[in-house]
Amino acid sequence: MLTVYNCIVNEHDLRLVALAALICGISSFSAVNLLHHVGRSTNRNRLAWLMIAATSTGFGIWATHFIAMLAFTPGIPNAYNPELSALSLAAAVVLTAAGMWVATLRNGLDHHLVGGAILGGGIATMHYIGMAAFEVQGRIEWNLLLVAASLLAGVTLAALALVVVLRRPSLSATLGGAVLLTLAICTLHFIAMGAVSIVPDSSIEISQYTIQPTSQAFAVAAASLVILVLSGTALWIDLRFRRQKLEADRMHGLANAAVEGLIVCDGNRIISANDSMAKLTGMATATLNGMQLGDLFGSDMPGFGEQPQEVELRGHDGTGIPVELIGRSIDYCGKPHNVIAVRDIRERKKAEQEILRLAHFDPLTGLANRRSFSGRLEMEIAAMGRARKSGHLALLLLDLDRFKEVNDLYGHGAGDAMLQKVAHCVTGILRQGQMVARLGGDEFAIIAPNLTDPLEAGRIANAVLNAMREENRLSVGGGLVSASIGIALYPSDAENQASLITHADTALYRAKTEGKDTYRYFEASMGAEARDKRVMEHELRQAVARKEFYLVYQPQKEISSGKMVGFEALIRWRHPTRGDVPPTIFIPVAEDSGAIGQIGEWVLTAACEEAARWENPLTVAVNVSAVQLHNPNFSRKVHETLLNSGLAPGRLELEITETALVKDMPRALATLRQVKALGVRVAMDDFGTGYSSLSNLRAFPFDKIKIDGSFIKSVDKNGQVAAIVRAVLGLGRGLGLPVLAEGVETLGELKFLDAEACEIGQGYYIGRPGLIEEFSELTGVDAPTVSNDAAGQRNRSVLAFAPAPALSVNRA
C-alpha cells in the first residue's frame, strides 16, 4: 500500500487526480441512476436504457483512467496508441453493458453479484488495455501481486456496488452504490499504477502514430463532456421519472379508494389498474399493466365514452362478467390518456332478472302470472286466427272450493302450501305447449291450444281433478281441497280474449253452483243467466240509494192468549221495470255479490226508526246476515242505530241463523256478547236446519229459539214432525228459553202448539205480512189517510207475496 501511496503522491499531479475522482464520482452516480431505469423498463425500452447506462459508465471509466494517466508524470517521453485507446473505450462500454444486463435480468443476489463482477472485469479490462496503449521511452515492469490486488479490489467493489443498488432501491442505496463504484474504479486504477515500474531505455522509440498527451487530453475532455451531458440527462430523466412516479402513486392511491374498477390506458394499452379492477378480474395489477383492452373486453368491444356501454369482461378463468364502461380523457404524467371506469353490474343484472321474473311469474307457485297468461292467450288466439286451421283452443278456469276456510282454520301458511301443491298437481298433467297460470288468490287458468276435439278439454279438466283427489288420498290430514273448473272454447264459444275469459268464468260459476269438485263447459244459456245476474248485482247496489226497498211486518203473538208481542220486519224490492222481485231471487244474488251488508244496514235502520214511533212497546225482529255479524263494527252500528232512532234496546230482537255462526264462531260469539251488553235481544233463527248444534245453544247468549216453518207444516198430522217439535219445545223449557214457531198456517197446527205449551207463534194463520199502516190498532199509531188508488196499490204489493211464507233478509 505504501508503494501505491508513493505512486499517487510522488508520481501524479494531484490536481488531475482530484479531477479524475470527480469525473469518476459523477459517472458512477449517473450509472447507478440509469441502472434503476434499466431494471424498471419493459422489453421494448430495456435495450435503449441499457445502452445509455453502459455508454455513460464506460465513458466515465475511460475518462477517469486517462485523466489519471495525464496526471502521471514518469519524467520521460510518452504517448498513447490510438487504436488501443479506442479499444479500451469499447471494452469498457461493452463489458459494462454485459454486466448491467446480467445484474438486472432477474432480481436475485446471484445475478447481482455476477453482473457486478462482469462490470468490475470491464473496469480492469479497460485499464490494462489503456496501459497497453501507453507508450514510453523505457521498459514497463509489473508487480504481479499488486496487479492481482487491483483485479480483486475492482471486481469485489463493483459487485458490492450493484448488490447495494439493486437489492433495495432507495436514495441511500443509490448514494452508497455510487461511492462503491467510484472506489472500484479508482482503487483498481491506482493499485494497478502502483504495480508499474518504468525503466528508462533510450533505445526504445515511441511510434510515430501515437497521440501526444496534449491531444489525448482533448479526447479525454470530449469524453468528459459526453459524461457530463449523459449524467445531466440521466439526472433530468430521474427527476422527471420521480415526479411522474409520485403523480402516478398519488393517482393510484386515489384510484384504489374507488369501489369501481379503474384503468388508465395509453391508446389500447393498459398502463395502470386499481385494486378493485384486480379483484374484479381475479388478476394481479402487475399482470393487468401492459395488457391490451382487447385482452379484457374482446376485439369487438364498442367505442367507449361518457355514455355507459355494457360489455362482457373476461375474468382470469375465462368466465364472462357483465360490466359497464364509462371513459374519459385525462392528463396523466404530462400526456393525454384515457381513464375507464369499469362497473360490475352482476347484481344489477340479477335484480333485473328477478324483476322480470316477478313481472311475469307468480312468486309463490312459480307459475306464470296474470300478465303472462294474458299475453300467451292473446298470442295463441292470434296464431289460430292466422293459421285458419280446424281446431280448438280451450281455456280452463280453476277455482278452489272452500279455500277461505283453510286460511281461516289453519292460517295463511297452510293456504300457501296448498296453492303450491295445486300448482304441482296441475303442472304434472299438462302436455307440451299447454300452460297453467295463477291469476291471483286461489284462481288458476289453463291454456290448451290445438285441440282436435272439444272433449279433450274435458279430459284435461278431469285429469286435474283426479290428480287433486289422489293428492288428497295420499296426504296426511286432508291434503288439498277440491276444485271447480269452467271451460270455454275458441272460436266456437268466443272470438276474442275478453269474451273467452268471461264465458269460462260463467262456466266456472255453474260448476260451483252444481256441486263443486266438477267441471262444466260453457253454454249459451249460461251467458244470459250470468248477464242477468250481473245486471241484478249492479241494480241491488243502487236500490238503497234509489229507495226501491220497503219493509212489511208480520205479527208475532202469544199462542195461549193471542196477545200481540211484536213484529218481524221483512224486506221487499219494487224494481222500476222488473216490478216486485221475490226475496227468493234477489237475496241470494245480494249475498253472493256482497251487497247484503248495505241492504241489511238499511233494514236495521228502517225497522228501528219505525218501531220507535209506535205507542205500544212491541218488539221488532230483524234478520242479520253473516256478512253483518262478522263485521267488526256491527255492534257499534247497532248502538248508533238505537241512539239515532230512540228505540229502547230491549224492543230490538236480532235473529241469527246458525249458518252465520259457524263461519267464524269466536268472532260471532264476541259480537253477540257486545250486542247483548247493549240490552238487545238475540234469537236463534231457523232452528233445526243447517248446522244446528246443542253446543251452540249453550255457548251463545240466545234469548229465544225460532223453530223453522218446515217443521211446523202438518205438525198436527205427522207423528215424526210432532216428535221433533216436542223435543225442541222441551229443550227450550229446559234451557229457560222461550220458543217461537214459524209458519203457522192452519188452526190444527195452532192447536197442537198450544197443547204443547209453545209460547209464541208466527205465520199466515196468525197474521200475514203487511205494511205497518195496516197494524195501526196494534201499534197505537193512527194510519194516515190515503186515496183509494194508493190503498189498492199497497194491498197489491202485499198480496203479491201472500201465497208464500215470509222470508228473511238472509234466507236463500
Side-chain angles (χ1 to χ4, degrees), residues 49 80 83 150 165 197 203 321 378 465 590 681 711 724 807:
W49 280 110
Y80 296 92
E83 290 83 3
S150 69
V165 170
S197 295
S203 64
I321 303 170
E378 184 177 357
L465 295 176
R681 298 168 60 82
F711 294 103
I724 293 173
L807 293 167

Side-chain angles (χ1 to χ4, degrees), residues 700-714:
F700 289 91
F702 292 111
D703 298 293
K704 184 186 293 184
I705 300 175
K706 293 187 70 173
I707 304 177
D708 187 72
S710 60
F711 294 103
I712 303 303
K713 187 174 179 63
S714 302

